[in-house]
Amino acid sequence: MLSPVRNLCVYIFTRFSERMNSPYFTDSVAVLGTCATNTKGESAVNKGGIRRLRSRMAQGIKSEDDSPNVKAEDHEQSISDAPLQTHPETPAETVSSCNNTTTKVKREAVDKQAALTSPRKPRRGRVKVEYEEEEGVELKRERWEPRDWRTQLSFIREMRSKRDAPVDQMGAEKCYDTEAPPEVRRYQVLISLMLSSQTKDHVTAGAMQRLRERELSVDAVLKLDDETLGKLIYPVGFWRTKVKYIKQATALIQQEFGGDIPDTVEGLMRLPGVGPKMAHLAMDIAWNQVSGIGVDTHVHRISNRLGWTKKETKTPEETRRALEEWLPRDLWSEINWLLVGFGQQVCLPVAPLCSVCLNQHTCPSAHRSSPNKKLKSSPAKPAINGPDDKLASPTALVKEEPADSSLSQRRKNTAKQEVPGNQLTSEEVAPSLLKKRSRRKGRAGAQQN
């Protein structure tokens, strides 16, 4: 009767030992320990958790100093590395494995408690990445562009849809010989750009026509003397200076560039008399390459009037840099001829036609210099406000028109009397003067009597 009971007890003890050694049981114990630690918080640690922690640490140290336990732990490590066996374990092995499992659970609890109590280090890498992202957003927000510039550009395109401005008929794109060789065409484009500076388009077109009739090429210009070349390009602005620049630039093209104009902005600006505007326009027209915006006096003036620059610019080169900062690159080639023709027809240098401009409601400079919107000047008032103001004299406010008119009338009468053959007759004398004379005669006759 005792053998079945004994066998049953051994079986129950063996199964219990196996469950204690299983990893699921160990993980569940650790999870329960961490959950209990997190839920209790600081109040549980202050009430007795420190004492338990110290006792567990002491027990852990004793178990590490104990040689049989260390051997048992090493034995357990070897067993865990080896494949699982199906034969039942002995009671001694079960007890040692239970002790080792308890020691592991205690160590994990101590490590987690230390991790909870230790201060966390800041994650500098992630903060830096976030800062860089925020900085990038700020840089995008700081990008400036004019208000309503797309609407203004669409209106300018609508006003320039007929393409009937002087630049459309006699610009640099229309002055070269289309049947000439490519290098000759590029050279003629450069010469037309050099002549167009400070010159009307019809004058430039006439000079180019006379040069083409005489053969406009590198070799032909080098054979011309200065006097003949001056007569051909006259009356362009600064024609004497342009004669010198054309001869020097042509010689440099022949010597250093093999008879063809340079294909870079830097090379073009090496030529005498060629600036940034001519270089960018030559790259666009002659080489079909967009290197920058060609800004002349029209583009410079209209860009400042429309507020297309962040601040007011003083020179065309400053305007070019300001436009290239925000204007899309696919519009660089179009913007020059658009604004030049618009400046020749509507946005004139003096007395612009703001009343017919479609941008009059969005342009910040509209009607400031338009003749239709001029206000009448009011008479000056004496300024008495401020320390530097002086009282205006009363005579300064008196109108002088009557005095001037009377003075001019007297001068006219005097001049009329001095002219021979225009003596005044008695019929032109005023009746009051005749009465005075008659009275004087009457008085004189009475005194004589």
Side-chain angles (χ1 to χ4, degrees):
M1 292 296 293
L2 294 175
S3 57
V5 175
R6 184 179 178 180
N7 292 335
L8 180 61
C9 294
V10 171
Y11 175 76
I12 292 172
F13 184 77
T14 303
R15 296 294 298 173
F16 181 75
S17 301
E18 288 178 358
R19 291 185 179 181
M20 291 289 292
N21 291 331
S22 63
Y24 300 101
F25 180 78
T26 305
D27 296 340
S28 62
V29 171
V31 170
L32 291 174
T34 53
C35 293
T37 304
N38 295 331
T39 54
K40 287 180 181 180
E42 296 180 355
S43 62
V45 174
N46 294 334
K47 291 180 180 180
I50 297 176
R51 293 180 181 177
R52 296 195 194 96
L53 183 60
R54 289 178 179 174
S55 62
R56 290 178 182 177
M57 291 177 65
Q59 291 177 4
I61 293 171
K62 289 181 181 180
S63 62
E64 290 177 359
D65 294 338
D66 229 351
S67 58
N69 292 336
V70 174
K71 291 181 180 179
E73 187 177 354
D74 296 337
H75 181 64
E76 182 188 6
Q77 183 68 24
S78 63
I79 291 174
S80 63
D81 296 337
L84 295 176
Q85 298 178 359
T86 58
H87 61 82
E89 297 178 353
T90 60
E93 293 176 352
T94 304
V95 173
S96 63
S97 62
C98 292
N99 293 334
N100 294 332
T101 305
T102 307
T103 304
K104 283 185 177 181
V105 173
K106 291 178 180 179
R107 288 179 182 176
E108 291 178 359
V110 171
D111 295 339
K112 291 181 180 181
Q113 186 67 23
L116 291 173
T117 56
S118 61
R120 295 183 180 179
K121 296 182 179 180
R123 298 180 181 178
R124 297 180 180 178
R126 182 172 296 178
V127 173
K128 184 176 182 180
V129 171
E130 291 177 358
Y131 178 77
E132 291 177 355
E133 290 177 358
E134 292 177 0
E135 185 178 3
V137 172
E138 291 177 359
L139 289 176
K140 289 182 180 179
R141 290 179 182 177
E142 288 180 359
R143 182 182 177 184
W144 179 87
E145 63 179 16
R147 184 180 179 182
D148 300 329
W149 71 272
R150 295 185 183 275
T151 305
Q152 294 170 348
L153 183 62
S154 64
F155 283 151
I156 294 174
R157 285 173 178 166
E158 183 177 352
M159 289 182 284
R160 292 277 288 113
S161 59
K162 294 182 180 180
R163 294 176 179 264
D164 53 355
V167 68
D168 299 323
Q169 307 297 330
M170 296 171 286
E173 296 179 350
K174 305 294 182 180
C175 292
Y176 63 86
D177 187 5
T178 56
E179 298 179 358
E183 61 274 7
V184 177
R185 291 201 304 266
R186 290 190 285 267
Y187 176 74
Q188 292 179 0
V189 169
L190 179 63
I191 296 299
S192 65
L193 290 171
M194 295 177 70
L195 294 176
S196 65
S197 177
Q198 303 294 325
T199 308
K200 300 291 184 180
D201 288 335
H202 66 277
V203 178
T204 304
M208 286 295 297
Q209 182 67 27
R210 292 189 293 271
L211 288 171
R212 286 171 54 187
E213 291 175 356
R214 188 71 179 261
E215 186 184 359
L216 181 57
S217 63
V218 174
D219 298 333
V221 171
L222 289 176
K223 294 178 182 179
L224 293 175
D225 57 342
D226 295 350
E227 184 179 359
T228 305
L229 183 59
K231 291 180 179 179
L232 292 174
I233 67 173
Y234 182 83
V236 298
F238 306 100
W239 62 274
R240 292 186 179 88
T241 305
K242 290 179 181 179
V243 167
K244 180 177 63 176
Y245 285 159
I246 289 173
K247 295 297 293 289
Q248 293 177 357
T250 306
L252 191 62
I253 290 171
Q254 182 69 29
Q255 296 173 3
E256 297 190 10
F257 299 99
D260 199 354
I261 67 173
D263 57 353
T264 60
V265 176
E266 293 77 11
L268 288 168
M269 292 182 64
R270 286 181 55 193
L271 302 177
V274 178
K277 180 202 78 171
M278 299 179 191
H280 291 301
L281 290 177
M283 289 295 297
D284 186 15
I285 300 172
W287 293 106
N288 198 20
Q289 297 179 11
V290 179
S291 59
I293 301 176
V295 179
D296 62 349
T297 179
H298 296 287
V299 180
H300 171 66
R301 180 183 70 256
I302 297 171
S303 298
N304 281 273
R305 284 182 177 178
L306 291 174
W308 283 9
T309 56
K310 194 171 183 179
K311 59 180 181 179
E312 186 178 359
T313 55
K314 303 298 182 182
T315 61
E317 184 63 16
E318 292 181 6
T319 305
R320 181 187 67 82
R321 290 193 293 265
L323 290 175
E324 291 178 356
E325 287 181 357
W326 64 269
L327 190 67
R329 192 178 182 86
D330 55 349
L331 299 176
W332 288 7
S333 177
E334 181 188 13
I335 199 66
N336 177 266
W337 73 268
L338 269 179
L339 296 185
V340 170
F342 180 65
Q344 291 176 345
Q345 292 181 317
V346 180
C347 196
L348 305 176
V350 181
L353 306 178
C354 298
S355 58
V356 299
C357 180
L358 299 179
N359 291 321
Q360 59 179 315
H361 301 293
T362 58
C363 178
S365 304
H367 303 297
R368 288 186 179 180
S369 56
S370 180
N372 297 332
K373 295 294 181 178
K374 283 187 177 180
L375 298 176
K376 295 182 179 180
S377 59
S378 58
K381 296 181 180 180
I384 57 176
N385 298 327
D388 298 332
D389 295 337
K390 297 181 180 179
L391 292 175
S393 61
T395 56
L397 303 177
V398 178
K399 295 182 179 180
E400 297 182 355
E401 293 180 357
D404 295 338
S405 60
S406 61
L407 181 60
S408 60
Q409 187 67 26
R410 291 175 184 176
R411 289 177 179 175
K412 288 180 181 179
N413 295 336
T414 305
K416 191 175 181 179
Q417 292 177 2
E418 291 178 355
V419 175
N422 290 333
Q423 298 292 336
L424 292 176
T425 60
S426 59
E427 298 177 355
E428 297 177 355
V429 179
S432 59
L433 295 179
L434 295 176
K435 290 180 180 180
K436 289 181 180 180
R437 291 179 181 178
S438 62
R439 288 177 184 177
R440 289 176 183 176
K441 290 181 179 179
R443 291 176 183 176
Q447 289 176 3
Q448 292 177 0
N449 294 330

